[in-house]
Amino acid sequence: MIELEKIEKIYNAGKASETHALKDINLRIEEGDMVAITGPSGSGKSTLLHIIAGIDSPSSGEYRFCGKLVSDMSDKERCRIRNQKIGMIMQDFGLLGNDTVLRNVCLPEVIGGRYNRKFENKAKEILSAVGLPGLEQKKTNQLSGGQRQRVAIARALAMDAKIIIADEPTGALDSENTDSLMDLLLELNRQGITIIIVSHDPKVAMRCPIRYRIEDGRIERTKIY
Ligand SMILES: Nc1ncnc2c1ncn2[C@@H]1O[C@H](COP(=O)(O)OP(=O)(O)OP(=O)(O)O)[C@@H](O)[C@H]1O
């Protein structure tokens, strides 16, 4: 599903501030995998996630998504993958705080002009499934960190995302909320959704069957903690 071959990422190439953020990254993630990526601050985790999500492109190397070279895709095709196949759960949640939970979940459809009552009903069912029943009309800036993460997950599910990419999803949560968010992600994985989580938290990584560690831009598979 996701194949990275000899991926390199260099920021500000040729300048004094040049940073070699990713070095010779070879990584395969299959459909239905649940993967944790850990590593110290500045090691290249977010850079890697942004490349996988199609938000950024590598300086060199090949990235295939479902067998197709991403560099050969049109902007439209890349955009479709980013918006429909991949649900990004960001560190800062990526939600509109002044909008309601329901509107945040439906936002991609509203923007795309496809919003209708059927979609609203689907969004309500998903909100219930992720543990947020009855909160549809609440503004997201009135929710707890754990609840906001669930709204972001609900938005990805409402778009029928096949992959959820989560950058430090539990960074702002206490241990009880971390556990229940991980329970939800594991359940979604059991239902066939591919999950990729970047986390500093060993407890989060321990619950993922496949684990990688990045250090100074290089990645290696690990199972030992
Ligand atoms: N847009 C950018 N321009 C220049 N350098 C960047 C940019 N983004 C990241 N970097 C640099 O690339 C390296 C990897 O950064 P990245 O954000 O991928 O690390 P990280 O492992 O996600 O860190 P953290 O855990 O602190 O979020 C760092 O040295 C960082 O300063």
Side-chain angles (χ1 to χ4, degrees), residues 73-90:
M73 292 179 185
S74 65
D75 285 351
K76 202 173 159 194
E77 212 173 343
R78 259 199 297 266
C79 213
R80 197 175 59 81
I81 288 175
R82 199 165 57 220
N83 293 337
Q84 294 176 6
K85 299 239 164 115
I86 299 179
M88 218 26 202
I89 317 294
M90 315 281 278

Side-chain angles (χ1 to χ4, degrees), residues 11-12 19 21 39-48 91 167-168 200:
Y11 290 109
N12 305 326
T19 306
S41 182
S43 56
K45 304 179 299 295
S46 299
T47 303
L48 178 62
Q91 237 158 357
D167 195 354
E168 292 288 356
H200 279 105

Side-chain angles (χ1 to χ4, degrees), residues 67-171:
K68 197 164 176 199
L69 263 180
V70 173
S71 55
D72 284 352
M73 292 179 185
S74 65
D75 285 351
K76 202 173 159 194
E77 212 173 343
R78 259 199 297 266
C79 213
R80 197 175 59 81
I81 288 175
R82 199 165 57 220
N83 293 337
Q84 294 176 6
K85 299 239 164 115
I86 299 179
M88 218 26 202
I89 317 294
M90 315 281 278
Q91 237 158 357
D92 59 4
F93 309 114
L95 302 176
L96 300 179
N98 258 328
D99 262 327
T100 63
V101 166
L102 186 61
R103 209 177 137 76
N104 266 283
V105 173
C106 296
L107 203 60
E109 294 291 299
V110 174
I111 291 168
R114 297 177 300 267
Y115 182 70
N116 56 32
R117 185 52 66 119
K118 197 168 153 215
F119 192 82
E120 184 177 313
N121 289 337
K122 176 180 166 180
K124 284 180 180 165
E125 273 171 34
I126 291 170
L127 280 167
S128 195
V130 301
L132 296 174
L135 292 183
E136 292 91 356
Q137 297 310 328
K138 204 159 176 172
K139 289 193 173 167
T140 53
N141 58 14
Q142 293 166 359
L143 300 178
S144 72
Q147 287 170 328
R148 273 185 272 169
Q149 293 288 27
R150 284 164 194 269
V151 176
I153 291 170
R155 177 156 75 193
L157 296 176
M159 294 304 295
D160 292 323
K162 301 285 176 272
I163 306 173
I164 287 183
I165 295 182
D167 195 354
E168 292 288 356
T170 62

